[in-house]
Amino acid sequence: MAVDELQAIIQRCQILEEADFKGEDFNLFQVAGQKCLEDGYAAQLLEVVQNEKNKVIIKNMGWNLICPLVRCILMYKQEDDNREHCLKILDLLVQLCNAKELFLGLLEQIEQTSGEQICKTVMLLLQPLQTVLFKLQNKKAYSVGLSLAVIMNQLTPLPVPYTKQQIQEDKLGLCQCCNAVVNFAKPFVSEVVKNMEKSSDCNDTELKEELLKFCMKSLKYPLLTAQLDQLESSEEHPFRHFATEIIDILRDTRELIQLVFSHHKDRSQSWENKEFADIEQKNSAESLACLSYLMFVQYFGIDYFPMVFSPSYLLQCNMAHIEVLLNRTEESVLSKGLELFESVLLRMEDNSLLHQYLELSNFITVPQNLVKVMTLCPIEHLRKKSLNILQLFINKFDAEGKYTLFRCLLKTSNHAGVEGYIIKNIKDQIHLALMKVGDNNWFTGHHLVSLLDLVLLLPDGAETDLLQNSDRIMASLNLLRYLMIKDGEYDNQTGVWTMLAKIEQNFLKPLRVGLNMSKAHYEAEIKNKKENRRDSNSSNTVCSVTVSGEKLPAMTTEMQLQVLRSALFTFDLIESVLARVEELIEMKIKAV
């Protein structure tokens, strides 16, 4: 019987001195204790642990019972007496066992757990672990840091609940566990704060550094990917509560403002291995980006933020964080980047951002990242939001800034729709310049002529794919038509009449040739399809068609004809605007 085996081992060890305990004794005690728990004799094991005569034995060997104890506690139901007995045994072990061995045993148990048991195990052992840490005299800061690191490493692979329903259900217990972990850290935060109050020289304690590492990890996981919008019900949002606690730790340890303005300052340890150093730097950058989002979008800790900085400086400080967030592809992270960008832009007045800011690399890469979201992101509401934010960003620059940004985006976007959008913006700025609104001389005269060189041309001459570039071509033609109507040949404020020959050579003539070629090609294709349809006596024959160099999904003949007619309609639209431009040019030349 398991209890008899345990009693036999206890009686044998009671007559031995502490120094005489052998490895065999430890193994026998562990096996017998585990068997008692598994066979349902937790009450008898509790009596053994409570017996004062066994104090020395439990002090040295009791930590070996942690693994079977945890397994049984998680297995038994809440109302089961055996579960209650196991919990009492665990409490006694925390009081009686050697602190160092028990500390290692608790951490080992947390490390070994997996799957659905992770959060349950962590929450069960947090209180015992906290008690043991306070008993440790040596390397306490290191031990606290190791505990938090092991716990966070175990939690990190778990999926973060994202939808409101997932958050409310909290199937794996992650929401509850995260808040339990931050409560576990609070006494150590209080200890750091007390030390800081006693002496200003205690600002850089080891314990403070370990707590800071925990906060940085928490910002990356789970907060970077967590949904932080308020829940519809009156209950408190678990991740919002967790974020508040993390911000409070940073504030109490006087690190909050320092981190907000750190600009990815490398606080990590020095790694000889560059790969490790890059990973550490990336993790730090993502944590700081999340911190900025929490402060400037969700307003966590904003009451402690000094309101003395200009909106343009706040934008400059956040551009690196925005770039980090926009480089990710997850909806939860991308949306944080867009919201942070929007938030800092809305603090600024239109036309107030100096063009010199474009000399900073982030002010070029961030709008380029926005373009990628606009054109490549599969999530429609994020594409639309990024377009609105790009316009907001454009509006904030002075005239020279807008001019420089337009040139950059025309050269780098490689997307006809984006180029068409930028050309429309150029047209709006020219209109303001001609109406003498503000200092807009960058959109008249020789500056504009240089910009029009980028706008009024076909990338591949007459062989340009007109269908694929239709957005850009239509925007360019509309701009040219506007210039012909609004800027008289005698005024020539925009310089367009000076460069008319160049425009005809590089844009209008190749466009006319390209249109004729494209229309002839598509008309021939339509004729072909109709003849094939007559021959097969069916409009439901499935085959493929290639448009603009891309093979479309398999379609019936009738569907293909619709696509081809749509392309012809686009060509007719371009041709009608081209004809109007040519007519305006002819009229002006005759008038002269």
Side-chain angles (χ1 to χ4, degrees):
M1 187 177 173
V3 177
D4 294 336
E5 290 177 17
L6 180 64
Q7 288 292 357
I9 296 161
I10 292 292
Q11 286 171 9
R12 195 180 94 183
C13 291
Q14 279 177 343
I15 60 174
L16 295 175
E17 292 294 325
E18 188 174 346
D20 295 331
F21 291 153
K22 298 178 181 177
E24 183 186 356
D25 299 323
F26 285 84
N27 292 335
L28 290 171
F29 176 82
Q30 181 182 3
V31 171
Q34 180 174 333
K35 201 170 180 186
C36 284
L37 289 169
E38 290 172 351
D39 292 350
Y41 297 113
Q44 287 80 348
L45 180 59
L46 176 60
E47 289 176 10
V48 170
V49 176
Q50 287 173 329
N51 192 329
E52 192 69 22
K53 293 179 182 178
N54 302 329
K55 194 172 182 180
V56 175
I57 299 171
I58 300 303
K59 176 189 172 186
N60 287 276
M61 303 184 188
W63 68 274
N64 285 302
L65 297 174
I66 293 294
C67 178
L69 263 177
V70 169
R71 192 162 56 243
C72 289
I73 291 170
L74 295 177
M75 179 182 67
Y76 290 128
K77 294 180 179 178
Q78 287 283 71
E79 64 275 7
D80 197 311
D81 289 340
N82 274 320
R83 187 177 192 278
E84 192 61 36
H85 295 323
C86 289
L87 287 170
K88 287 180 180 177
I89 294 170
L90 182 59
D91 287 341
L92 285 168
L93 293 182
V94 172
Q95 296 171 30
L96 299 173
C97 289
N98 179 291
K100 183 180 177 182
E101 290 174 342
L102 191 59
F103 168 69
L104 294 174
L106 291 169
L107 279 195
E108 183 181 8
Q109 187 56 39
I110 291 172
E111 273 189 310
Q112 288 178 351
T113 190
S114 61
E116 294 180 2
Q117 299 296 322
I118 291 175
C119 290
K120 293 176 184 176
T121 304
V122 169
M123 285 190 285
L124 173 65
L125 298 182
L126 280 177
Q127 187 59 54
L129 185 58
Q130 188 185 71
T131 305
V132 170
L133 284 168
F134 276 114
K135 285 185 174 184
L136 291 174
Q137 299 302 318
N138 299 324
K139 295 188 176 181
K140 181 178 177 181
Y142 169 78
S143 300
V144 170
L146 181 61
S147 301
L148 290 168
V150 167
I151 291 168
M152 293 307 291
N153 286 343
Q154 281 294 87
L155 295 180
T156 300
L158 298 178
V160 178
Y162 185 67
T163 66
K164 289 177 181 177
Q165 184 180 348
Q166 288 171 346
I167 292 168
Q168 287 167 337
E169 288 177 356
D170 193 20
K171 282 186 178 178
L172 295 177
L174 181 64
C175 301
Q176 189 182 351
C177 189
C178 285
N179 284 299
V181 173
V182 86
N183 287 331
F184 164 83
K186 278 183 180 179
F188 306 109
V189 176
S190 300
E191 187 176 325
V192 168
V193 172
K194 282 180 185 176
N195 289 337
M196 291 169 67
E197 287 171 353
K198 286 178 186 175
S199 169
S200 58
D201 296 333
C202 292
N203 283 352
D204 196 24
T205 62
E206 289 181 21
L207 184 54
K208 178 180 171 182
E209 282 296 318
E210 296 297 343
L211 291 169
L212 181 58
K213 288 177 188 175
F214 163 65
C215 290
M216 293 292 279
K217 284 183 180 178
S218 300
L219 288 166
K220 178 172 168 57
Y221 176 93
L223 292 176
L224 183 64
T225 52
Q227 169 63 264
L228 294 170
D229 291 337
Q230 292 285 6
L231 298 175
E232 291 174 3
S233 61
S234 57
E235 66 183 293
E236 186 176 18
H237 193 307
F239 286 132
R240 288 184 71 84
H241 180 267
F242 182 67
T244 302
E245 297 287 359
I246 294 298
I247 295 292
D248 285 347
I249 293 175
L250 293 174
R251 179 204 65 194
D252 292 342
T253 55
R254 302 175 193 169
E255 290 287 336
L256 181 60
I257 305 304
Q258 202 173 323
L259 282 174
V260 171
F261 291 108
S262 65
H263 299 293
H264 299 181
K265 177 184 174 184
D266 187 15
R267 302 182 57 96
S268 60
Q269 55 186 303
S270 296
W271 293 95
E272 290 183 10
N273 186 312
K274 187 178 182 301
E275 186 179 347
F276 287 163
D278 290 343
I279 292 170
E280 191 77 10
Q281 190 173 6
K282 178 175 179 286
N283 290 340
S284 173
E286 290 177 338
S287 298
L288 293 174
C290 183
L291 177 61
S292 272
Y293 167 80
L294 292 175
M295 179 164 279
F296 294 111
V297 178
Q298 297 291 344
Y299 301 117
F300 290 109
I302 199 70
D303 293 341
Y304 315 114
F305 188 79
M307 296 299 176
V308 294
F309 302 105
S310 69
S312 56
Y313 180 69
L314 289 180
L315 176 64
Q316 180 185 341
C317 291
N318 277 291
M319 287 301 269
H321 302 317
I322 293 163
E323 183 178 10
V324 167
L325 296 172
L326 293 185
N327 277 331
R328 295 280 291 266
T329 55
E330 305 94 319
E331 179 183 1
S332 56
V333 184
L334 258 183
S335 62
K336 284 182 175 65
L338 294 174
E339 287 174 39
L340 178 58
F341 200 7
E342 183 179 42
S343 175
V344 289
L345 285 174
L346 288 173
R347 297 166 188 265
M348 304 184 66
E349 293 182 6
D350 287 354
N351 308 308
S352 65
L353 192 59
L354 300 177
H355 61 275
Q356 285 90 343
Y357 279 98
L358 287 169
E359 295 172 10
L360 304 173
S361 62
N362 290 327
F363 279 76
I364 295 296
T365 54
V366 166
Q368 289 174 340
N369 287 342
L370 266 184
V371 167
K372 288 178 184 176
V373 178
M374 286 161 50
T375 55
L376 301 176
C377 180
I379 305 164
E380 184 181 4
H381 74 91
L382 293 184
R383 292 200 303 271
K384 289 180 177 178
K385 190 175 183 71
S386 61
L387 177 62
N388 294 336
I389 292 172
L390 178 62
Q391 187 61 60
L392 196 59
F393 185 57
I394 290 168
N395 293 345
K396 300 307 171 185
F397 275 101
D398 59 18
E400 186 176 349
K402 290 184 177 75
Y403 178 89
T404 307
L405 188 58
F406 292 157
R407 289 187 70 91
C408 171
L409 291 175
L410 282 173
K411 289 179 178 179
T412 61
S413 66
N414 297 317
H415 189 278
V418 175
E419 290 165 1
Y421 187 78
I422 296 303
I423 292 167
K424 180 184 175 298
N425 264 276
I426 293 170
K427 175 174 166 284
D428 293 341
Q429 292 305 311
I430 294 170
H431 177 71
L432 292 174
L434 294 177
M435 300 293 288
K436 309 296 183 187
V437 177
D439 179 23
N440 249 4
N441 61 339
W442 282 88
F443 292 93
T444 57
H446 67 280
H447 291 305
L448 180 60
V449 167
S450 174
L451 190 58
L452 291 177
D453 281 340
L454 291 175
V455 173
L456 301 175
L457 61 82
L458 290 178
D460 300 311
E463 295 178 2
T464 300
D465 188 329
L466 301 186
L467 202 58
Q468 192 169 341
N469 288 276
S470 60
D471 287 339
R472 178 195 168 109
I473 292 167
M474 283 297 293
S476 300
L477 285 171
N478 282 324
L479 170 60
L480 188 54
R481 179 176 60 178
Y482 171 83
L483 293 174
M484 297 295 171
I485 295 170
K486 290 292 183 181
D487 188 21
E489 64 276 18
Y490 295 111
D491 296 331
N492 197 23
Q493 294 179 62
T494 61
V496 68
W497 294 102
T498 310
M499 58 182 301
L500 192 56
K502 192 176 184 182
I503 293 170
E504 287 186 332
Q505 184 65 33
N506 294 341
F507 184 56
L508 298 179
K509 285 181 180 177
L511 180 57
R512 173 59 70 186
V513 173
L515 270 173
N516 292 337
M517 286 166 44
S518 297
K519 287 182 72 175
H521 171 71
Y522 277 80
E523 283 167 354
E525 279 289 320
I526 289 173
K527 186 179 177 183
N528 242 359
K529 297 295 175 190
K530 285 180 177 178
E531 287 174 357
N532 290 341
R533 184 174 62 179
R534 274 200 305 272
D535 292 343
S536 62
N537 295 319
S538 171
S539 61
N540 294 320
T541 306
V542 176
C543 56
S544 62
V545 65
T546 301
V547 175
S548 299
E550 292 186 15
K551 194 171 184 179
L552 299 180
M555 297 185 293
T556 64
T557 304
E558 191 56 43
M559 290 164 69
Q560 294 173 53
L561 284 169
Q562 286 176 9
V563 171
L564 294 168
R565 286 176 190 133
S566 176
L568 271 182
F569 177 77
T570 301
F571 297 144
D572 288 341
L573 205 59
I574 293 172
E575 190 172 34
S576 67
V577 184
L578 175 60
R580 177 60 178 149
V581 168
E582 290 172 337
E583 182 186 341
L584 286 168
I585 292 172
E586 191 177 343
M587 285 168 55
K588 296 283 185 178
I589 291 173
K590 281 183 180 178
V592 172

